[in-house]
Amino acid sequence: MGVVELTGVGHSFESAGDVGVRWMGYPWSAEFSGRWESQEIESESLKGNPLGDPYVRPTYIYVPPSYDKSDRRYPVVYVLQGMTGQVDMWWNRSAFRKTTPEAIDAVVADPEVQDAIVVLVDAWTSYGGSQYLNSKGTGDYLDYVTKDVVEFVDSNYRTYPKASMRAVMGKSSGGYGAMVIPMLRPNVFGALATHAGDAAFEWSYATDIAQSARYLRDVFDGDYERFWTDFRSRPAFSKSYDASLSNVYAMAACYSTDQDGTVRLPFDPSSGLIDDEVWSRWLSLDPVRMVKDHAEELSLLRGVWIDAGRSDEYFLDVGARCYASRMESIGVSFHFELFEGRHGSIDYRYPMALRYLIGCLTD
């Protein structure tokens, strides 16, 4: 088990003048209070997965400043990425903002926040993502997260190995995972945060499904294989139809793959007619609809954070409100917020939810 410590050299400077700009660190480096470790997890759950994707996965694990100075145990927050995310992308920097690892360090290093371990999970697939579910189309990613990743962390770090001291959070598809995993595996996580997570499927997937039907009709004669051949022959997302077509197929691979591995679309690719049987399979995995059947499991949660941008282009603000309404109907308390914003550039919300979740994890 190799460990690579990821550190940076911090600098600061001040700029005089009317605006009084003050930088705390050049934008290409940071000095961490805690430590990030790069690990690899060999996943039994992903061995032999149908896409032939790697079963050895990179993982970044943050240990707080106090970790090497004591023998105490720590709560853990697991962070899930959205569609097309792979774990090293957390280190990408947006203009004038901290990277997510820097933001996590700033939260945990705050003396008003209890120390915690934070785990950045990789669940990328050749279709772009897994929705953190077990599927014959992508692999057993629900088991990978809840068994392989959690067991690795508990075996190699001083954690509290119980649900009440673990939380899960994510954005978009990661937010979807954060919503459904506690329902499907209630003995693993005790709190969740979802930022614009996939929910209320009749709203959030409608545009992509309609656009995909149109593109298949006009460009690919209803043949998805022709799209994938085209997509893989050039730079990804270099054509206008790439995002819709790849996303809809990836969702179908997660939500409606038969036991023999056949990926079933929720619409006829030639006519665009909705296939009611397949669409019902999608809806059965909609967090909004799942809540009523998992009231007992959800009642065990110590904290729930729900948010989304008011102008989310996938109507995930509507999905968030629907999910919150269902949670309210079963008596689960939560923090809910709609803020000014769309689907992208909402990473500044993550530290808020992280602070909230850590506060929920008490022995």
Side-chain angles (χ1 to χ4, degrees):
M1 179 182 67
V3 174
V4 179
E5 295 185 12
L6 305 172
T7 61
V9 179
H11 305 275
S12 65
F13 66 87
E14 295 185 12
S15 175
D18 294 338
V19 294
V21 176
R22 179 179 175 85
W23 290 95
M24 293 306 293
Y26 286 131
W28 55 82
S29 64
E31 184 173 357
F32 294 106
S33 297
R35 182 177 72 254
W36 283 99
E37 296 183 354
S38 175
Q39 301 278 16
E40 287 188 340
I41 297 176
E42 183 172 334
S43 170
E44 290 296 322
S45 302
L46 297 183
K47 286 184 177 179
N49 69 80
L51 297 178
D53 289 331
Y55 63 86
V56 177
R57 291 300 176 100
T59 307
Y60 290 113
I61 300 174
Y62 176 83
V63 295
S66 65
Y67 190 83
D68 296 326
K69 303 172 186 177
S70 73
D71 59 359
R72 56 168 289 199
R73 293 184 177 273
Y74 296 83
V76 186
V77 179
Y78 292 78
V79 186
L80 311 180
Q81 283 177 311
M83 184 58 57
T84 72
Q86 57 186 63
V87 73
D88 58 337
M89 293 167 66
W90 285 120
W91 298 86
N92 296 342
R93 183 180 300 283
S94 298
F96 305 111
R97 293 190 181 187
K98 294 178 179 179
T99 65
T100 295
E102 290 168 2
I104 290 170
D105 178 71
V107 169
V108 180
D110 186 335
E112 295 186 357
V113 178
Q114 73 164 326
D115 282 353
I117 293 170
V118 181
V119 180
L120 305 181
V121 179
D122 184 272
W124 176 91
T125 76
S126 296
Y127 290 143
S130 66
Q131 295 300 92
Y132 305 93
L133 298 172
N134 289 347
S135 168
K136 295 297 183 181
T138 55
D140 291 340
Y141 284 87
L142 177 62
D143 291 345
Y144 158 67
V145 173
T146 60
K147 293 174 58 179
D148 301 341
V149 177
V150 169
E151 288 178 7
F152 177 89
V153 175
D154 284 346
S155 296
N156 291 280
Y157 293 85
R158 296 195 310 276
T159 69
Y160 292 95
K162 53 186 178 181
S164 62
M165 298 298 279
R166 300 191 198 102
V168 60
M169 63 180 288
K171 178 232 176 175
S172 196
S173 285
Y176 173 84
M179 286 186 280
V180 300
I181 290 174
M183 291 190 268
L184 300 174
R185 297 288 190 274
N187 61 330
V188 180
F189 297 109
L192 72 88
T194 174
H195 304 283
D198 296 9
F201 288 179
E202 65 268 48
W203 300 110
S204 57
Y205 293 140
T207 299
D208 271 353
I209 289 173
Q211 289 180 334
S212 294
R214 176 182 291 167
Y215 291 137
L216 286 171
R217 178 197 69 197
D218 293 347
V219 183
F220 299 106
D221 294 326
D223 187 348
Y224 239 115
E225 284 304 313
R226 287 184 56 186
F227 161 69
W228 283 117
T229 299
D230 173 54
F231 182 80
R232 291 165 177 150
S233 70
R234 54 180 171 77
F237 304 107
S238 57
K239 293 189 177 180
S240 60
Y241 46 70
D242 285 353
S244 293
L245 286 169
S246 61
N247 190 64
V248 166
Y249 196 90
M251 294 302 105
C254 298
Y255 299 146
S256 53
T257 297
D258 293 340
Q259 288 298 307
D260 65 0
T262 301
V263 176
R264 302 274 302 281
L265 297 173
F267 64 96
D268 180 82
S270 298
S271 66
L273 284 170
I274 293 294
D275 185 319
D276 291 334
E277 187 275 327
V278 177
W279 180 236
S280 69
R281 293 169 65 177
W282 284 44
L283 294 181
S284 71
L285 292 168
D286 180 352
V288 173
R289 290 166 171 82
M290 293 174 68
V291 166
K292 68 180 188 302
D293 295 325
H294 294 275
E296 183 177 353
E297 295 92 332
L298 293 169
S299 70
L300 302 175
L301 294 173
R302 293 182 164 207
V304 176
W305 173 291
I306 309 164
D307 74 15
R310 292 182 179 276
S311 304
D312 190 289
E313 51 267 48
Y314 305 106
F315 299 98
L316 292 170
D317 53 320
V318 178
R321 180 65 266 183
C322 291
Y323 175 69
S325 180
R326 286 293 176 87
M327 294 287 272
E328 187 174 28
S329 73
I330 63 169
V332 173
S333 60
F334 52 84
H335 171 91
F336 176 77
E337 186 178 352
L338 294 181
F339 54 88
E340 296 305 320
R342 291 167 63 84
H343 193 64
S345 299
I346 66 173
D347 52 297
Y348 75 94
R349 307 287 306 180
Y350 307 164
M352 302 178 193
L354 178 63
R355 182 182 294 264
Y356 168 86
L357 290 176
I358 292 175
C360 295
L361 303 180
T362 56
D363 195 14

